Structures are given as structure tokens and as C-alpha cells.
């Protein structure tokens, strides 16, 4: 058995990077989305190839593709930051609606996932996809959020 047996066992026991239901959601998104008028967003680099391949949409992601408008420190603010106003401000850098994919591997305790699930500006489209249009949040609303966060 040796090394070959261990390798076969490791491959057989590995969890998929994308579960079948997540794939199906992304494939349905490709049929539902408004074409070039929207972006898909992969919030984790693990999911980027799958979001890009199965959604058929221009995909924003942390670090691989050229449509990303955030640098790594901005992604860190989105993932771990204390300010939801800043998250809205970052999302406003995109001039069109986003279908945001948050896969099963992202725990519910992660700040940005709680933000997406709790903020009423996000429309829950399927178990792992939310629709967000940054054009509906004004700069005055973002400033009011900052003010509320600091009081």
C-alpha cells in the first residue's frame, strides 16, 4: 500500500471545493443574471474559479482576476473590519449590481457574512448568493452609518 495507498485514501476522503448544490446555484445565476450589467463576487479565493466558470459573469474576487477594484488591505477591511459603513463604501466602488457568493466553508461567525445576512440592502437569492446594488446606498447614508457607529 505505502505512499500510493495513502495518496489514494487522501484523495478519496477530501471534501469537494464546491458542493453540488453550490454549483447548481451558480449555474442558475448564469441564467438569471442581467449579463454584462452585473458582476459576480467571490468573497474567498477558494471559490473564485467556480464562481467565474459556472456563473458566466464578470467575477470580482480577492486576488486572481483583473476586475477587482480592491487591494489586499481593502479586502481585509471587508472581511475583518469593524465598520459596516466601510463595507458599503467598498462595495460602492463597483458601478453595477453584484451577485455575492458566500460558500458553505465560510462560517456564520465571520463578520462580513453576518453583515450580508443582516443588512436589508442585500437580497437573499439562494442559500449562498445575495444580490446587492451599490447604487441604492447614497454617500449621505454611508456617512450616517459612520456617525451611528461612532456614537
Amino acid at each position: 500500500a505505502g505512499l500510493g495507498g495513502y495518496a489514494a485514501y487522501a484523495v478519496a476522503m477530501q471534501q469537494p471545493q464546491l458542493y453540488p448544490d453550490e454549483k447548481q446555484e451558480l449555474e442558475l445565476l448564469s441564467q438569471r443574471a442581467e449579463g454584462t450589467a452585473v458582476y459576480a463576487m467571490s468573497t474567498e479565493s477558494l471559490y473564485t474559479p467556480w464562481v467565474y466558470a459556472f456563473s458566466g459573469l464578470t467575477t470580482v474576487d480577492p486576488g486572481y482576476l483583473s476586475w477587482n477594484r480592491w487591494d489586499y488591505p481593502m479586502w481585509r477591511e471587508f472581511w475583518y473590519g469593524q465598520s459596516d459603513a466601510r463595507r458599503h463604501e467598498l462595495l460602492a466602488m463597483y458601478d453595477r449590481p453584484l451577485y455575492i457568493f458566500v460558500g458553505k466553508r465560510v462560517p456564520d461567525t465571520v463578520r462580513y457574512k453576518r453583515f450580508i445576512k443582516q443588512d436589508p440592502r442585500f437580497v437573499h437569492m439562494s442559500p449562498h448568493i445575495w444580490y446587492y446594488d451599490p447604487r441604492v446606498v447614497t454617500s449621505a447614508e454611508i456617512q450616517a452609518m459612520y456617525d451611528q457607529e461612532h456614537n
Side-chain angles (χ1 to χ4, degrees):
L3 187 57
Y6 175 75
Y9 173 78
V11 168
M13 297 307 294
Q14 184 171 352
Q15 293 183 358
Q17 289 186 346
L18 187 73
Y19 290 92
D21 60 322
E22 293 172 318
K23 179 183 179 215
Q24 183 179 20
E25 288 175 59
L26 290 168
E27 289 172 336
L28 289 172
L29 179 58
S30 72
Q31 298 166 12
R32 177 186 301 161
E34 303 140 29
T36 58
V38 298
Y39 290 119
M41 176 183 270
S42 170
T43 58
E44 304 287 335
S45 59
L46 167 73
Y47 293 113
T48 296
W50 314 119
V51 172
Y52 181 68
F54 296 124
S55 75
L57 297 172
T58 300
T59 303
V60 174
D61 74 301
Y64 289 122
L65 303 173
S66 61
W67 300 287
N68 185 23
R69 295 185 184 166
W70 302 346
D71 58 18
Y72 184 66
M74 290 171 164
W75 274 102
R76 290 189 55 80
E77 284 181 273
F78 182 75
W79 291 324
Y80 310 116
Q82 303 293 319
S83 173
D84 288 343
R86 178 62 177 152
R87 287 183 181 87
H88 279 292
E89 193 172 53
L90 289 167
L91 289 166
M93 293 176 74
Y94 295 96
D95 58 348
R96 58 185 77 169
L98 298 149
Y99 286 98
I100 302 172
F101 179 82
V102 183
K104 286 182 185 180
R105 294 183 184 276
V106 179
D108 286 338
T109 57
V110 173
R111 281 189 189 278
Y112 79 84
K113 187 172 182 180
R114 285 194 320 244
F115 162 68
I116 290 170
K117 289 175 85 171
Q118 294 172 359
D119 191 297
R121 293 169 190 88
F122 291 85
V123 178
H124 198 195
M125 304 297 293
S126 66
H128 303 99
I129 298 174
W130 285 263
Y131 176 84
Y132 178 83
D133 188 343
R135 300 169 299 183
V136 302
V137 183
T138 67
S139 56
E141 287 176 299
I142 292 172
Q143 185 57 54
M145 289 178 215
Y146 272 122
D147 294 344
Q148 186 176 7
E149 289 173 355
H150 293 95
N151 287 333

